[in-house]
Amino acid sequence: MGASLRLATASALVRYLAAQRTPDGHPLIGGVFAIFGHGNVAGLGKALEDGTLPVLRAQNESGMGLAATAYAKAHRRRRLMACTSSIGPGATNLVTPAATARVNRLPLLLLPGEAFADRGPDPVLQQLEDDADPDVSVNDCLRPVSRFFARIHRPEQLIPALDRAMTILMDPVLTGPVSLALPQDVQAEVHDFPASAFAPRVRAPFRPGPDPDQIEAAAQRLRSARRPMVVVGGGVRYSGAEHVLARFLTRGGLPAADTHAGRGALLADHPAWVGGLGVTGSARANACARAADLVLGVGTRFTDFTTGSRALFAEAERVHISVDSWDAAKHEALAIQGDAGLVLKALDAALADHIFPEWAPDGDPVPKHAPPPGTDAAVVAAVRRFAGPDVTVVAASGSLPGELQKAWAPRDHEDYHVEYGFSCMGYEVAGGLGVKLARPDRTVVVLVGDGAYLMLSSEVATAVELEQDLIIVLVDNGGFGCIHRLQKSVGGRPYANLRKGAVDFVAHAQALGAKARRVETDLESALHEAQREKGVQLLLVQTDPEHATEEGGAAWRVPSTE
């Protein structure tokens, strides 16, 4: 037997996590978001005291989980954060961020506390009791939204579970939330752990190469296509394949549209870029999709908003590139499984003598006309005019992602961070904090509607406490304006979506420690002023809930009562 270290289980967990490294030498785990309770304060809380890992105290478990998810997204899945909670509602509050990370294929490590493994004092405060199964706890809610779930009943189980967790977190196919449920007595129990488990270990993302036969089959189809187009998804960014994609698209007239996750992979000044695809996309991109006879998807999940509920390019041949065979084979496509950058390089070589025909319909990738004042689109336009090369915009739900996808011309690979896989209301403020922690060199502008802000704004206080510079543009349209319009469009009577009373958002933000003010005109100037200030700045803007930019020509399947 090799050397061992006698440690409490929680201390062994912290040492193991602190030893994980990225290929460039940074800690893989950027820190631990924590809200301590009786399920974790005496065990993991004690182990974290020594500062081996940075500890960030949050206000809400959902908020800290979403901040950690955004942190991983901003790091393109190469670094991540852990989150620890107590055993009851603290743990169930982690379900939403786990689902957000799972849908978006983002690494997230969750460390919820548990009741006692020895069951001595059962039932403890906040413990769920199941008369048919004493092993059931609220942490089982995390099973369906986790990529890997393990309950650590004994100290001996910790290191194998952590090895498995790290493998999954850094695997581009399997990555997503990992949940390790930690009974509070086991956290404090001492054990002789192998010293080798705590040696520094480099965790590099795996980049699977393509099958040569799949490359040749795809190249043949691309050569024979008369009107091929490319759909750029988040897989391009996670691969770091922006420059490979740009080179691939220089061969002739191959138009390329992007999804929310893919926005920024191809910059607006590239002649191939035709804008966003789908329900909230550009008229030009959707015209390309309807006319295309072959669609090459690169690292996209092809959700209903992207495909217009499968109505766009329904008759076209489909070729999909994805590290995940499930995604690659969607929509009866010819699947190429592999890393986006490696596959595009191989396709580029296979098509070395081929030039694609010029065929894309004319039009603008983003609207040229100025939007009406007092609309969400006008807010987005002001933020776009303000945004320089060091600005990242963050959004997630309601009307704003649609206005952003239509109007945001990417000038920088990092200027667009929109969570629209889960469209999680409440992601915005927490996500903005996560992006700022990941990229302290950038000015982070959060675009959030009043509905999402009221749902989860507690991490304003966390950002203030952590002394982060963050600009929040709060767009008040009186409630859930996006769903209000949808409700009417399907023949419903408008009710229960718009607020009946006023909310003093300025006073609320100030109470949480932010500097806040209402902006009546000239949001662009107000943004420049906020950028010069330190701390959290909230700018409140009033908009019209009835107005949205005209659709780009793609429909979304929503049922109407027969």
Side-chain angles (χ1 to χ4, degrees):
M1 292 181 63
S4 64
L5 290 175
R6 191 162 181 79
L7 299 167
T9 303
S11 296
L13 169 63
V14 171
R15 285 203 187 193
Y16 181 100
L17 295 180
Q20 309 306 303
R21 289 289 184 271
T22 65
D24 56 5
H26 289 103
L28 180 70
I29 310 298
V32 180
F33 275 111
I35 296 181
F36 292 128
H38 68 88
N40 63 347
V41 68
L44 190 53
K46 178 66 176 174
L48 288 166
E49 276 182 11
D50 64 4
T52 304
L53 288 172
V55 177
L56 299 85
R57 191 188 75 84
Q59 318 305 320
N60 178 285
E61 292 86 1
S62 287
M64 71 185 187
L66 293 171
T69 301
Y71 180 92
K73 181 179 172 73
H75 273 298
R76 303 197 189 191
R77 307 198 297 206
R78 285 160 174 77
R79 295 185 70 191
L80 64 141
M81 280 202 171
C83 299
T84 181
S85 76
S86 59
I87 74 168
T92 54
N93 278 349
L94 293 172
V95 173
T96 294
T100 303
R102 177 70 183 266
V103 167
N104 287 282
R105 278 61 162 178
L106 293 167
L108 174 66
L109 179 58
L110 302 178
L111 304 169
E114 276 271 13
F116 288 78
D118 66 13
R119 300 179 189 162
D122 286 6
V124 300
L125 178 67
Q126 298 181 327
Q127 180 180 341
L128 179 75
E129 293 184 89
D130 187 318
D131 58 5
D133 186 350
D135 285 329
V136 168
S137 84
V138 296
N139 285 327
D140 289 293
C141 295
L142 290 164
R143 287 184 184 272
V145 290
S146 296
R147 273 297 197 174
F148 176 63
F149 179 97
R151 184 172 280 113
I152 310 302
H153 294 282
R154 297 290 308 142
E156 297 91 330
Q157 298 171 348
L158 178 68
I159 301 303
L162 285 169
D163 285 341
R164 180 63 175 153
M166 288 300 120
T167 299
I168 289 171
L169 288 165
M170 298 310 294
D171 187 306
V173 177
L174 300 176
T175 193
V178 165
S179 300
L180 301 181
L182 305 171
Q184 50 192 307
D185 52 343
V186 177
Q187 292 178 46
E189 188 173 342
V190 173
H191 178 71
D192 292 317
F193 292 92
S196 59
F198 310 114
R201 182 167 179 182
V202 173
R203 300 282 183 176
F206 175 58
R207 298 185 67 195
D211 184 305
D213 291 338
Q214 292 180 340
I215 291 294
E216 182 53 36
Q220 287 180 7
R221 295 197 186 187
L222 283 162
R223 286 192 196 98
S224 61
R226 293 177 299 158
R227 298 181 305 281
M229 76 173 293
V230 174
V231 178
V232 179
V236 175
R237 294 176 48 74
Y238 299 138
S239 168
E242 290 90 341
H243 299 299
V244 178
L245 173 70
R247 285 197 301 271
F248 178 79
L249 291 171
T250 58
R251 54 173 69 254
L254 192 62
D258 54 22
T259 67
H260 283 288
R263 178 61 54 91
L266 193 65
L267 301 185
D269 60 3
H270 196 291
W273 187 64
V274 294
L277 185 67
V279 176
T280 57
S282 75
R284 189 182 187 199
N286 290 334
C288 287
R290 276 189 290 273
D293 61 358
L294 183 143
V295 172
L296 173 64
V298 189
T300 176
R301 296 188 300 121
F302 276 130
T303 64
D304 63 341
F305 257 58
T306 298
T307 66
S309 296
R310 296 198 177 205
L312 285 172
F313 53 81
E315 304 302 320
E317 275 196 281
R318 290 173 287 278
V319 179
H320 289 187
I321 299 168
S322 178
V323 291
D324 189 331
S325 61
W326 170 257
D327 284 334
K330 283 177 179 173
H331 299 270
E332 302 81 43
L334 170 65
I336 311 177
Q337 187 176 6
D339 173 83
L342 297 179
V343 173
L344 285 173
K345 283 182 181 178
L347 266 182
D348 207 28
L351 295 165
D353 59 347
H354 184 72
I355 296 176
F356 291 107
E358 296 276 355
W359 73 272
D362 292 333
D364 295 318
V366 297
K368 294 295 186 185
H369 59 274
T375 62
D376 294 345
V379 173
V380 169
V383 175
R384 175 69 283 190
R385 291 193 303 272
F386 155 77
D390 64 340
V391 171
T392 298
V393 66
V394 177
S397 63
S399 309
L400 292 165
E403 300 294 355
L404 281 161
Q405 192 183 22
K406 291 168 189 158
W408 192 272
R411 304 173 192 145
D412 177 281
H413 294 307
E414 306 295 337
D415 68 7
Y416 190 89
H417 181 116
V418 174
E419 189 288 295
Y420 210 60
F422 206 46
S423 186
C424 180
M425 289 187 73
Y427 179 94
E428 294 88 345
V429 172
L433 172 60
V435 173
K436 186 63 181 179
L437 291 170
R439 297 300 307 269
D441 57 315
R442 298 188 71 86
T443 296
V444 177
V445 178
V446 174
L447 272 174
V448 58
D450 54 304
Y453 181 87
L454 286 172
M455 195 169 285
L456 186 57
S457 56
S458 54
E459 302 324 307
V460 169
T462 306
V464 170
E465 188 172 310
L466 295 175
E467 299 181 340
Q468 297 297 304
D469 299 332
L470 193 65
I471 300 174
I472 300 169
V473 179
L474 174 52
V475 182
D476 180 8
N477 63 13
F480 306 139
C482 175
I483 300 303
H484 165 73
R485 295 190 299 273
L486 177 62
Q487 186 179 54
K488 294 197 300 179
S489 74
V490 295
R493 173 177 60 84
Y495 76 103
N497 281 311
L498 299 183
R499 294 195 317 272
K500 293 182 179 179
V503 175
D504 192 341
F505 291 106
V506 170
H508 177 268
Q510 290 171 340
L512 294 178
K515 299 174 185 176
R517 67 185 179 94
R518 179 184 294 274
V519 179
E520 302 291 352
T521 59
D522 200 2
L523 174 60
E524 187 178 352
S525 294
L527 285 162
H528 282 291
E529 291 174 18
Q531 190 178 33
R532 291 190 291 269
E533 296 281 340
K534 303 295 288 183
V536 180
Q537 317 286 322
L538 184 138
L539 304 175
L540 176 64
V541 184
Q542 206 85 27
T543 62
D544 177 8
E546 303 295 341
H547 186 277
T549 301
E550 187 176 346
E551 303 295 334
W556 179 37
R557 181 178 172 183
V558 179
S560 296
T561 303
E562 293 184 13

